[in-house]
Amino acid sequence: MTAKLISGTEVARQIREELTGETARLKERCGVVPGLVTILVGKNPASMSYVAGKQKTAKEIGFHSVQENLPEETTEGELLALIERCNRDEKIHGILVQLPLPRQIDETKVLYAIDPKKDVDGFHPVNVGKMVIGQADYLPCTPAGIQQLLVRSGVKIDGAEVVVVGRSNIVGKPIANILLQKQPGANATVTICHTGTRDMALHTRRADILIVAAGRPNAVTADMVKPGAVVIDVGVNRIGTTPEGKAKLVGDVDFEAVRQKASFITPVPGGVGPMTITMLMANTLKAAQIAAGVR
Ligand code: NAP
């Protein structure tokens, strides 16, 4: 069996098209344009490129998009003051602070300072709590993107054995929480593996849906996968450069071998990656719709 590829690039394109239509309708009916501010502190090249991608997508969809570039030596107080201004700005519905932040700034304090109604990353404890009790307004973007990839590929999640490798607060824990909710697009039996798991293969081999977010190349090999499983590879690992000088990326799964065993698999790049920015846009539109009282 050779697995079908789940193209995140294609699913993201479909969702962005839907978001563009909904954005135009919101403007027409309510005169509201979704506003997203991206805040970048310093000049980390990877962060600069992520933020540029978010700004570009926001503009393409028709959002009011604002980019705040702060110098590396910005103090915590200065950043908190900017967030407070964005919290009060009625034209801004979503606030994204690009992580990581320079050492002098406490990330937790900054994320807690964002108004939960504008927390389109879904990292504020209020939104994490709402997700856990099944009443989320904003799901964190990468896990929300994984759920969309599964749903839109027609994968049966209801009743499935899902195994998640990784328990980070941004991927592993939230995707496990999302898929175990008694809701459409969820209702799975979920197991989470991590470095304390005694026999990881014992669990992964039972998975109908295997989601891997370990941050290690080859964390999952073909012998750890059940024939016919759906494999979602979240990992992004840089393993040198291509002849054109671009970063060479691989996921956490031994792609070529696992592809021969799985029924569906996401590639890296072009799998989960494009979904993350797209779900950020979906959350920003939702924030604007909630603010306009139409959702
Ligand atoms: P993280 O914070 O480093 O967490 C990794 C998790 O995997 C930890 O819970 C760790 O266990 C577990 N783990 C690591 N090696 C393992 C192994 N050999 N066996 C079992 N568990 C193992 O990473 P993250 O932020 O969740 O990201 C994971 C990967 O996804 C990274 O490659 C990251 O770049 C990528 N990512 C991609 C996107 C995207 O948009 N495509 C978004 C976010 C992240 P312990 O808790 O025991 O240490």
Side-chain angles (χ1 to χ4, degrees):
M1 172 188 293
T2 304
K4 265 192 175 169
L5 285 189
I6 297 180
S7 167
T9 309
E10 178 50 28
V11 177
R13 193 195 57 73
Q14 286 164 14
I15 297 177
R16 287 176 196 187
E17 220 172 271
E18 292 163 18
L19 295 175
T20 305
E22 283 183 57
T23 300
R25 275 194 293 282
L26 183 68
K27 188 176 174 191
E28 213 174 276
R29 285 193 199 147
C30 310
V32 173
V33 178
L36 174 69
V37 61
T38 47
I39 302 175
L40 175 66
V41 186
K43 290 204 160 137
N44 176 322
S47 296
M48 284 169 74
S49 127
Y50 290 143
V51 162
K54 288 166 189 173
Q55 281 294 319
K56 179 170 172 278
T57 311
K59 284 187 187 130
E60 283 166 3
I61 292 175
F63 290 180
H64 163 58
S65 83
V66 180
Q67 165 76 51
E68 294 281 358
N69 289 317
L70 304 181
E72 183 77 32
E73 59 278 9
T74 300
T75 65
E76 191 177 277
E78 286 165 341
L79 178 57
L80 291 174
L82 171 61
I83 291 173
E84 197 38 49
R85 283 200 298 281
C86 296
N87 281 342
R88 285 198 305 265
D89 186 341
E90 285 181 2
K91 285 196 181 135
I92 296 296
H93 303 96
I95 301 172
L96 179 125
V97 178
Q98 186 65 44
L99 302 178
L101 291 167
R103 277 197 200 139
Q104 72 275 16
I105 303 179
D106 180 345
E107 261 176 33
T108 308
K109 240 190 201 172
V110 168
L111 297 180
Y112 281 32
I114 297 172
D115 182 341
K117 293 192 208 74
K118 299 191 178 188
D119 168 40
V120 285
D121 247 342
F123 291 160
H124 193 287
V126 166
N127 289 320
V128 175
K130 284 180 143 185
M131 171 189 69
V132 172
I133 61 172
Q135 295 179 5
D137 292 321
Y138 310 115
L139 294 174
C141 302
T142 301
I146 295 169
Q147 186 186 35
Q148 283 299 315
L149 283 180
L150 292 170
V151 169
R152 289 175 184 247
S153 305
V155 173
K156 188 174 182 296
I157 305 173
D158 193 332
E161 291 287 336
V162 171
V163 176
V164 178
V165 178
R167 58 175 161 191
S168 72
N169 289 334
I170 61 165
V171 188
K173 281 184 202 153
I175 190 60
N177 264 294
I178 290 167
L179 296 182
L180 70 77
Q181 299 298 329
K182 196 168 183 175
Q183 286 174 2
N187 207 29
T189 303
V190 183
T191 304
I192 307 180
C193 298
H194 43 75
T195 57
T197 301
R198 265 206 308 265
D199 183 351
M200 194 163 84
L202 184 81
H203 299 282
T204 58
R205 278 192 209 115
R206 281 193 304 101
D208 302 314
I209 301 172
L210 178 58
I211 299 170
V212 190
R216 306 251 184 296
N218 291 323
V220 167
T221 47
D223 57 309
M224 298 164 75
V225 177
K226 177 166 99 172
V230 175
V231 179
I232 304 289
D233 190 351
V234 189
V236 180
N237 304 291
R238 287 173 174 76
I239 54 152
T241 44
T242 63
E244 301 82 46
K246 283 189 172 170
K248 193 166 176 213
L249 305 179
V250 295
D252 291 348
V253 171
D254 179 1
F255 180 79
E256 287 307 333
V258 171
R259 192 181 181 183
Q260 302 309 319
K261 235 176 155 182
S263 58
F264 285 94
I265 191 166
T266 56
V268 177
V272 175
M275 295 299 292
T276 299
I277 292 187
T278 302
M279 300 321 290
L280 176 74
M281 302 304 145
N283 280 345
T284 304
L285 173 63
K286 191 173 184 189
Q289 289 169 326
I290 292 172
V294 294
R295 188 152 176 168

Short mmCIF file of all heavy atoms in Angstrom, two decimals, residues 25 41 60 86 104 116 118 129 134 139 148 155 161 168 218 262:
data_model
loop_
_atom_site.label_atom_id
_atom_site.label_comp_id
_atom_site.label_asym_id
_atom_site.label_seq_id
_atom_site.Cartn_x
_atom_site.Cartn_y
_atom_site.Cartn_z
N ARG A 25 -18.05 39.44 3.12
CA ARG A 25 -19.46 39.51 3.59
C ARG A 25 -19.57 40.29 4.90
O ARG A 25 -20.49 41.07 5.10
CB ARG A 25 -20.03 38.10 3.77
CG ARG A 25 -20.59 37.52 2.47
CD ARG A 25 -21.45 36.30 2.72
NE ARG A 25 -20.67 35.18 3.23
CZ ARG A 25 -19.90 34.40 2.47
NH1 ARG A 25 -19.81 34.62 1.17
NH2 ARG A 25 -19.22 33.41 3.00
N VAL A 41 9.60 41.24 18.12
CA VAL A 41 10.66 41.91 18.88
C VAL A 41 12.00 41.33 18.43
O VAL A 41 12.22 40.13 18.54
CB VAL A 41 10.49 41.71 20.41
CG1 VAL A 41 11.52 42.54 21.17
CG2 VAL A 41 9.08 42.07 20.85
N GLU A 60 -3.92 39.27 1.83
CA GLU A 60 -4.57 38.56 0.72
C GLU A 60 -6.04 38.28 1.03
O GLU A 60 -6.90 38.33 0.16
CB GLU A 60 -3.84 37.25 0.42
CG GLU A 60 -2.55 37.44 -0.35
CD GLU A 60 -1.66 36.20 -0.37
OE1 GLU A 60 -2.05 35.14 0.18
OE2 GLU A 60 -0.56 36.32 -0.92
N CYS A 86 -3.15 47.74 21.95
CA CYS A 86 -3.84 46.87 20.98
C CYS A 86 -5.12 46.29 21.58
O CYS A 86 -6.13 46.13 20.89
CB CYS A 86 -2.92 45.74 20.51
SG CYS A 86 -1.47 46.32 19.63
N GLN A 104 15.12 39.30 28.20
CA GLN A 104 14.67 40.23 29.26
C GLN A 104 13.15 40.27 29.38
O GLN A 104 12.62 40.90 30.29
CB GLN A 104 15.23 41.65 28.99
CG GLN A 104 14.61 42.42 27.83
CD GLN A 104 15.25 42.10 26.47
OE1 GLN A 104 15.94 41.11 26.34
NE2 GLN A 104 14.99 42.91 25.47
N PRO A 116 -8.11 37.91 26.25
CA PRO A 116 -8.49 36.59 25.72
C PRO A 116 -9.38 36.67 24.48
O PRO A 116 -9.33 35.80 23.62
CB PRO A 116 -9.24 35.93 26.88
CG PRO A 116 -8.72 36.61 28.11
CD PRO A 116 -8.36 38.02 27.69
N LYS A 118 -8.95 38.63 22.09
CA LYS A 118 -8.08 38.93 20.93
C LYS A 118 -6.93 37.93 20.82
O LYS A 118 -6.02 38.10 20.01
CB LYS A 118 -7.54 40.36 21.04
CG LYS A 118 -8.64 41.41 21.06
CD LYS A 118 -8.10 42.82 20.91
CE LYS A 118 -9.27 43.82 20.87
NZ LYS A 118 -8.83 45.18 20.53
N GLY A 129 -8.37 26.82 28.92
CA GLY A 129 -9.41 26.24 29.78
C GLY A 129 -10.69 25.98 29.01
O GLY A 129 -11.31 24.91 29.13
N GLY A 134 -14.36 21.99 26.26
CA GLY A 134 -15.16 21.83 25.03
C GLY A 134 -15.95 23.05 24.65
O GLY A 134 -16.95 22.95 23.94
N LEU A 139 -9.21 27.86 19.00
CA LEU A 139 -8.31 26.72 19.19
C LEU A 139 -6.92 27.15 18.78
O LEU A 139 -6.76 27.91 17.82
CB LEU A 139 -8.76 25.55 18.32
CG LEU A 139 -10.10 24.91 18.67
CD1 LEU A 139 -10.46 23.86 17.63
CD2 LEU A 139 -10.06 24.30 20.07
N GLN A 148 -8.55 20.07 11.00
CA GLN A 148 -9.12 20.39 9.68
C GLN A 148 -8.58 19.46 8.60
O GLN A 148 -9.32 19.02 7.72
CB GLN A 148 -8.82 21.84 9.31
CG GLN A 148 -9.70 22.84 10.02
CD GLN A 148 -11.17 22.65 9.69
OE1 GLN A 148 -11.56 22.46 8.54
NE2 GLN A 148 -12.00 22.66 10.71
N VAL A 155 -11.25 11.57 6.96
CA VAL A 155 -10.79 10.56 7.92
C VAL A 155 -11.81 10.45 9.05
O VAL A 155 -12.28 11.46 9.58
CB VAL A 155 -9.41 10.97 8.50
CG1 VAL A 155 -8.99 10.02 9.62
CG2 VAL A 155 -8.36 11.01 7.40
N GLU A 161 -8.83 5.18 17.39
CA GLU A 161 -7.71 5.18 18.36
C GLU A 161 -6.71 6.22 17.85
O GLU A 161 -6.13 6.04 16.77
CB GLU A 161 -7.01 3.82 18.39
CG GLU A 161 -7.82 2.69 18.98
CD GLU A 161 -7.97 2.77 20.50
OE1 GLU A 161 -7.13 3.40 21.16
OE2 GLU A 161 -8.95 2.20 21.01
N SER A 168 3.69 18.87 24.16
CA SER A 168 3.94 20.31 24.35
C SER A 168 2.61 21.04 24.49
O SER A 168 1.55 20.53 24.11
CB SER A 168 4.70 20.88 23.15
OG SER A 168 3.84 20.95 22.03
N ASN A 218 12.96 10.91 12.34
CA ASN A 218 12.85 9.45 12.51
C ASN A 218 12.38 9.02 13.90
O ASN A 218 12.69 7.91 14.33
CB ASN A 218 14.16 8.74 12.19
CG ASN A 218 14.47 8.82 10.71
OD1 ASN A 218 13.55 8.74 9.89
ND2 ASN A 218 15.72 8.99 10.36
N ALA A 262 1.12 3.29 5.48
CA ALA A 262 -0.03 4.10 5.93
C ALA A 262 -1.07 4.20 4.83
O ALA A 262 -0.81 3.88 3.67
CB ALA A 262 0.47 5.49 6.32
#
